[in-house]
Amino acid sequence: ILRLSHECPFDEVRSSFSKLLRELNEHGTAVPKPVTLAPSSFLPSSEVKVKSMFGSDEKVASLFMDAFLNDGRISHITQVMGYHPTYLECHIRFQNYLMHGDGPLPFHWRAMIGVLAAARHRCTPLVRLLLKSIEDVDEAKSWSQGIAHLPQKLQNLLEVNTLLAHQPWLLNHKHMEELLQPGCDSWSMGELMSALVLLAHWHAMASFVFGCGINPEIDTPEGHVYTVGAPSPSPDTGDHNGSRRDSGEAAGSQPTVAAAAAATAA
């Protein structure tokens, strides 16, 4: 509700949910308030509200609508990329195909591979965003509890993930052969190629998150606080260093699978 009250592209939805939260607050119910409305710590909130973006540029508005209809949200990454519509258009087209297009892996496996890639860089905002996308998938409900809860087939990717993230020149045909060995947890050639592209993409996206100072999504634990009768955050505060938290600084909130994946040795 909090996210939709600020970032939904439909005016009537935003206003209805904003009214609901305001009324709950007036009746003494603790309601969530965003830590910041800025998608990036480098930008003031007043410049980047979704509602103002929708009114200023028709192409950006169309791209944001596509993102919302595809993912159910206009993520902070998408909002920041909205300053470069041509790039955003290519990014949306590519990522939609990568995550939802034809291929041998189901969506929740693709998203979890993304979590493992982002976790190697301790990129909490990206880990949270990807876990949010699969939180309603029955098979994936326990996956955030730790590496041991992942299917063995995914666990077998951890060494390749580590090497791709930090020492890609050490990858060789033997790593591929091990994953392709016949067995109940083996990867097919098509699955492995898809997994490698996913790992490379989400490693790159983790760098984008850090480089652009992307703040945590407001519907994740780091993105909001609960208050009763308190004013909304100042619209110009944007630097909350959400994208810079490592697993040591956010030990209480870091997803267990992220901490475990980040600690996995090469």
Side-chain angles (χ1 to χ4, degrees):
I1 291 176
L2 176 66
R3 175 172 57 80
L4 292 173
S5 72
H6 288 284
E7 298 179 351
C8 180
F10 303 107
D11 290 338
E12 57 275 19
V13 174
R14 281 201 311 273
S15 60
S16 295
F17 281 134
S18 295
K19 181 181 177 183
L20 173 60
L21 290 172
R22 187 167 57 251
E23 290 175 350
L24 288 171
N25 198 34
E26 289 169 355
H27 284 81
T29 302
V31 297
K33 292 186 182 293
V35 173
T36 177
L37 295 177
S40 166
S41 59
F42 303 146
L43 297 169
S45 303
S46 55
E47 288 186 14
V48 287
K49 290 179 182 176
V50 171
K51 58 184 178 184
S52 63
M53 286 186 173
F54 264 78
S56 60
D57 188 309
E58 203 171 299
K59 184 174 183 179
V60 173
S62 175
L63 291 170
F64 281 1
M65 183 66 75
D66 288 344
F68 183 81
L69 295 177
N70 284 328
D71 303 325
R73 69 170 64 237
I74 304 172
S75 71
H76 287 171
I77 292 173
T78 300
Q79 291 180 44
V80 170
M81 286 187 183
Y83 281 93
H84 304 278
T86 303
Y87 183 86
L88 175 59
E89 185 175 15
C90 294
H91 171 79
I92 288 176
R93 191 186 314 122
F94 172 73
Q95 188 161 289
N96 282 346
Y97 182 78
L98 189 65
M99 299 301 289
H100 302 285
D102 293 340
L105 298 174
F107 170 75
H108 59 290
W109 276 63
R110 301 182 198 195
M112 197 63 214
I113 290 170
V115 169
L116 295 176
R120 273 312 310 176
H121 300 283
R122 297 176 178 176
C123 186
T124 304
L126 199 52
V127 169
R128 295 287 195 195
L129 181 63
L130 287 162
L131 286 176
K132 273 280 183 186
S133 70
I134 58 173
E135 62 184 357
D136 294 325
V137 179
D138 288 339
E139 184 185 356
K141 286 188 183 298
S142 65
W143 288 1
S144 64
Q145 297 175 20
I147 293 299
H149 293 266
L150 295 178
Q152 184 60 47
K153 189 170 177 175
L154 280 174
Q155 293 184 43
N156 293 344
L157 270 183
L158 293 177
E159 183 180 4
V160 168
N161 180 36
T162 300
L163 291 175
L164 266 180
H166 306 298
Q167 296 174 301
W169 54 89
L170 294 181
L171 268 179
N172 57 51
H173 64 93
K174 293 181 180 179
H175 295 101
M176 306 301 113
E177 288 173 355
E178 287 178 11
L179 293 170
L180 294 170
Q181 284 290 332
C184 58
D185 297 314
S186 66
W187 292 77
S188 69
M189 182 66 76
E191 289 173 337
L192 182 56
M193 293 304 100
S194 295
L196 292 174
V197 173
L198 285 160
L199 288 172
H201 173 71
W202 290 110
H203 287 157
M205 289 308 300
S207 296
F208 180 89
V209 168
F210 287 126
C212 292
I214 301 297
N215 285 324
E217 301 291 319
I218 61 178
D219 59 342
T220 61
E222 298 85 359
H224 64 270
V225 293
Y226 280 91
T227 58
V228 179
S232 297
S234 168
D236 347 60
T237 32
D239 188 1
H240 291 269
N241 297 317
S243 59
R244 295 176 175 79
R245 291 192 186 104
D246 63 26
S247 59
E249 293 170 318
S253 57
Q254 180 85 349
T256 306
V257 70
T264 304

